[in-house]
Amino acid sequence: FEGNLPLLKADGQPLWARVAAVKVASADDAPPTFMIQVVDVTAEREAREQLSYQAFHDALTGLRNRAWILDMLEADLRTARRTSSRVGVLFIDLDNFKLVNDSLGHAAGDEVLALVADRIASVLRPSDRVGRFGGDEFVVVVPDVQNGPGVEKVAERISNAIATELTVQGHRIVPTASMGIAVSTSTSTPASLLRDTDSALFRAKY
C-alpha cells in the first residue's frame, strides 16, 4: 500500500502523511510482518493547494480570476446549448476609479476594489459567477436565463449594492459603475460573448 492519509498527531493537531506499507518475507509459520514508513507531507500539500488557489483566484479581492471565469463560461455555454437556455454576462467597470488612486493612493484604491467585490458577490444567486478581470473590471456570469430583462434585474441589484456610500481612510465615497450586458446565442463562444459585453460597456460609458 502507498497513499496519502489524513492523520492526527499525539497532541491532536491534524497532518497529512504519505504512508507506505510493505510486507516483509517471513517463515511460513510466522505471523505476517509489515514495514510501514510514514512521512509528514503537510507542508508540501499546503503549498500545492496554495498554488492551485492562486491559479484561479484574484489575490486582492478573493474572487475568481479571468482564467476561471473563462473556463466556467465555456462550460455554461455548453450546458445552454444542450438545454436550449441562454447565458447572460455583465461586464462591470467602476466609474472614475483612477481619481481614487490618484487622490487617495493605491492602498485606498485596493480597499475600494475589495469592498466593491464583496458587494457584488453579496447580491448574486448561488448559481451566478463573479470574477475580477483585472484593474477595476469585474465580470458576472448568469447561467440559465431566458432573456435580457432577467439579466437586467441582476444588473440593477449589483448597481444598487455598489452605489452605497463607503468610507475609505476617512474619506466618504459613493462608487458607481457602468455595465455592459450581453446574452448568448446558439453560436456564442466565451470570446464572442465577452466581446459583446465589452462593446456594450463602451457604449454605456461613452
Side-chain angles (χ1 to χ4, degrees), residues 112-203:
V112 170
L113 289 174
L115 291 170
V116 167
D118 288 342
R119 291 180 175 184
I120 294 173
S122 71
V123 297
L124 298 180
R125 303 171 304 172
S127 59
D128 298 336
R129 315 182 194 282
V130 57
R132 183 185 177 205
F133 249 45
D136 60 339
E137 296 177 335
F138 300 87
V139 167
V140 172
V141 179
V142 184
D144 194 21
V145 298
Q146 299 303 320
N147 48 45
V151 187
E152 290 171 6
K153 291 180 180 179
V154 177
E156 185 177 355
R157 292 202 307 271
I158 293 173
S159 181
N160 291 336
I162 290 175
T164 302
E165 182 180 289
L166 56 84
T167 301
V168 175
Q169 298 183 2
H171 297 270
R172 295 163 55 189
I173 300 173
V174 180
T176 60
S178 299
M179 301 187 200
I181 299 174
V183 178
S184 69
T185 67
S186 60
T187 60
S188 291
T189 65
S192 68
L193 197 51
L194 288 172
R195 184 175 61 246
D196 290 344
T197 57
D198 191 39
S199 177
L201 173 63
F202 182 83
R203 292 197 298 270

Side-chain angles (χ1 to χ4, degrees), residues 8-26:
L8 290 177
K9 297 181 181 180
D11 61 4
Q13 292 297 311
L15 80 153
W16 277 90
R18 181 178 298 117
V19 180
V22 179
K23 187 176 181 179
V24 179
S26 58

Side-chain angles (χ1 to χ4, degrees), residues 56-76:
F56 293 105
H57 287 79
D58 173 60
L60 174 63
T61 63
L63 296 180
R64 300 289 190 169
N65 62 13
R66 177 194 297 256
W68 189 88
I69 285 291
L70 289 172
D71 284 350
M72 291 301 99
L73 184 53
E74 177 68 47
D76 288 337

Side-chain angles (χ1 to χ4, degrees), residues 15-49:
L15 80 153
W16 277 90
R18 181 178 298 117
V19 180
V22 179
K23 187 176 181 179
V24 179
S26 58
D28 292 340
D29 56 348
T33 303
F34 293 87
M35 180 177 66
I36 300 176
Q37 181 184 42
V38 181
V39 180
D40 187 343
V41 293
T42 305
E44 175 187 323
R45 184 181 178 88
E46 289 177 348
R48 188 165 58 248
E49 289 177 347

